[in-house]
């Protein structure tokens, strides 16, 4: 199964059976079931689905995207160099405009078709196309801090912002006593490399 075989529909399309969608992770299901429409109505992000052409109520996979930035001045020098590796020095910015892949889910019935990597590729192509209406340099994912998920995103070209949780908590102003344990890790991919060769050897 490939995404091109499916129909692509936005959140709010009549007839979508969102409540039947089950990707196997409660927090992601809860978002699609209960929060995606409000999130979109409040202009925080937009959600899209792929459905079966012969049964457009059945959702195969979905994702949510939102605008984001990488605040370079809050990064240690080594991380600034890592994330800005492909940025022309004379064009360095305080913030790098980015797209956050805020949610990604594939229904359990369609696991094994490698749809996750296809969705990541789709999002990157979408936001680096000539039709994109604003600048968007990096793809960001806030991935659950679980080895198989971090490995999945790394195999699909994303890298961890930070090598340690301590660095990440400092960047996020994370207070364990107030916020609880940090359960996710920020990851990024510089999408300029979809458009030109690396500047670095």
């Amino acid at each position: 199964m490939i995404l091109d075989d499916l129909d692509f529909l936005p959140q709010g399309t009549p007839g979508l059976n969102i409540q039947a969608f089950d990707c196997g992770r409660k927090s992601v299901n809860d978002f699609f079931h209960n929060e995606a429409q409000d999130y979109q109505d409040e202009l925080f992000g937009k959600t899209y689905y792929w459905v079966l052409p012969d049964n457009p109520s059945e959702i195969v996979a979905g994702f949510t995207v939102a605008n984001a930035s990488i605040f370079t001045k809050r990064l240690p020098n080594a991380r600034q160099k890592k994330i800005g590796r492909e940025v022309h020095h004379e064009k360095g910015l305080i913030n790098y405009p980015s797209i956050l892949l805020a949610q990604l889910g594939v229904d359990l019935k369609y696991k094994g078709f490698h749809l996750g990597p296809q969705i990541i590729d789709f999002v990157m192509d979408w936001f680096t196309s000539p039709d994109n209406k604003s600048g968007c340099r990096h793809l960001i994912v806030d991935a659950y801090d679980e080895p198989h998920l971090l490995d999945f995103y790394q195999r699909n070209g994303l890298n961890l912002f930070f090598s340690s949780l301590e660095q990440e908590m400092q960047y996020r102003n994370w207070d364990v006593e107030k916020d609880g344990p940090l359960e996710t890790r920020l990851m990024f991919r510089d999408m300029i490399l979809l458009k030109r060769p690396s500047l670095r050897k």
Side-chain angles (χ1 to χ4, degrees), residues 6-7 11 14 30 36 58 63 82 110 115 126 147 177 195:
L6 305 172
D7 288 346
Q11 174 74 31
D30 285 346
E58 181 162 344
F63 71 93
K82 179 180 179 181
Y110 302 99
L115 293 174
W126 207 18
E177 291 186 4
K195 301 176 71 65

Side-chain angles (χ1 to χ4, degrees), residues 109-127:
K109 295 190 292 296
Y110 302 99
K111 298 287 187 181
F113 288 101
H114 306 290
L115 293 174
Q118 293 182 57
I119 294 171
I120 292 172
D121 287 344
F122 174 90
V123 171
M124 290 193 298
D125 288 342
W126 207 18
F127 283 93

Side-chain angles (χ1 to χ4, degrees), residues 72-73 84 87-97 137:
T72 59
K73 293 301 183 183
V87 176
H88 292 284
H89 291 299
E90 66 272 19
K91 295 182 180 178
L93 302 172
I94 294 174
N95 297 329
Y96 294 153
R137 180 60 184 255

Side-chain angles (χ1 to χ4, degrees), residues 21 37 41 54 63 69 80 82 86 156 175 179 193:
F21 177 79
Q37 188 62 55
D41 290 343
D54 57 353
F63 71 93
S69 293
Q80 287 186 34
K82 179 180 179 181
E86 298 294 337
N156 284 281
D175 184 335
D179 303 318
L193 296 179

